[in-house]
C-alpha cells in the first residue's frame, strides 16, 4: 500500500478507471456477440440495429482510449462487410443538416470605406 498521499490518490483513480474500462469493453463484446447472433438469425432489421450498436460501442471505446482507432476502423469495416453479405441494407451515416436561417427582408449594405494610400516618405540623402 502506498504511503505518499498522491500515490494513494493515484490508486483510487486507477481503480475507478479500471471499472470504467471493463464496463466499456463488456459493452463492446456484448454488442459484437449480439451482432453475430443477428447475422446467424438472418433478419435484416435486427442486423441493421445491432450493426449500429456495434459501431456506437466501437466509437465510445476509441473515445475513451480503450482500443486504437485503427482497430476500431478495421472492426467497423468487417462488421459492415458481414452485414452486407448477410443481406442487410447499407446504412450510410448522413450528417445532420444545419437549420437554414430565413433570409431577412431588410437588406443591409455593408460597404467599406476605401483605404487611403499612404504617401511614401523618402529619406534625404547626404
Amino acid at each position: 500500500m502506498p504511503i505518499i498521499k498522491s500515490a494513494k490518490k493515484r490508486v483510487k483513480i486507477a481503480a475507478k478507471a479500471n471499472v470504467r474500462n471493463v464496463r466499456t469493453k463488456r459493452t463492446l463484446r456484448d454488442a459484437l456477440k449480439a451482432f453475430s447472433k443477428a447475422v446467424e438469425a438472418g433478419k435484416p432489421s435486427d442486423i441493421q440495429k445491432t450493426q449500429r450498436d456495434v459501431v456506437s460501442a466501437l466509437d465510445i471505446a476509441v473515445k475513451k482510449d480503450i482500443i486504437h482507432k485503427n482497430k476500431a476502423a478495421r472492426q467497423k469495416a468487417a462488421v459492415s462487410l458481414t452485414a452486407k453479405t448477410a443481406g442487410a441494407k447499407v446504412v450510410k451515416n448522413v450528417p445532420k443538416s444545419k437549420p437554414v436561417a430565413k433570409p431577412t427582408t431588410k437588406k443591409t449594405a455593408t460597404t467599406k470605406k476605401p483605404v487611403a494610400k499612404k504617401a511614401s516618405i523618402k529619406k534625404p540623402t547626404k
Side-chain angles (χ1 to χ4, degrees):
M1 190 68 194
I3 299 169
I4 298 170
K5 187 177 181 179
S6 62
K8 290 179 183 178
K9 184 176 180 181
R10 291 303 312 160
V11 168
K12 288 181 182 179
I13 291 172
K16 286 181 185 177
N18 186 30
V19 170
R20 185 173 57 243
N21 293 345
V22 167
R23 185 181 323 122
T24 306
K25 286 180 190 177
R26 172 54 51 200
T27 304
L28 178 58
R29 278 190 295 243
D30 289 344
L32 286 168
K33 286 178 185 178
F35 176 74
S36 63
K37 286 183 181 180
V39 169
E40 288 175 8
K43 291 185 178 180
S45 59
D46 290 343
I47 294 172
Q48 285 180 340
K49 181 181 178 296
T50 54
Q51 181 185 3
R52 272 183 266 146
D53 293 341
V54 169
V55 170
S56 176
L58 284 168
D59 289 338
I60 290 169
V62 168
K63 186 177 178 182
K64 293 183 178 184
D65 278 340
I66 293 171
I67 62 172
H68 195 268
K69 63 180 182 178
N70 292 354
K71 179 179 180 178
R74 191 173 60 244
Q75 287 183 340
K76 284 183 196 178
V79 165
S80 177
L81 181 65
T82 305
K84 188 175 180 181
T85 56
K89 291 182 181 178
V90 178
V91 179
K92 293 185 179 181
N93 292 336
V94 180
K96 295 179 181 176
S97 61
K98 294 180 180 179
V100 179
K102 293 180 181 177
T104 57
T105 56
K106 195 177 193 182
K107 291 185 179 180
T108 57
T110 55
T111 57
K112 293 184 178 180
K113 293 181 181 179
V115 179
K117 291 185 179 179
K118 293 183 180 179
S120 61
I121 301 172
K122 292 184 179 178
K123 292 184 180 179
T125 57
K126 290 185 183 178

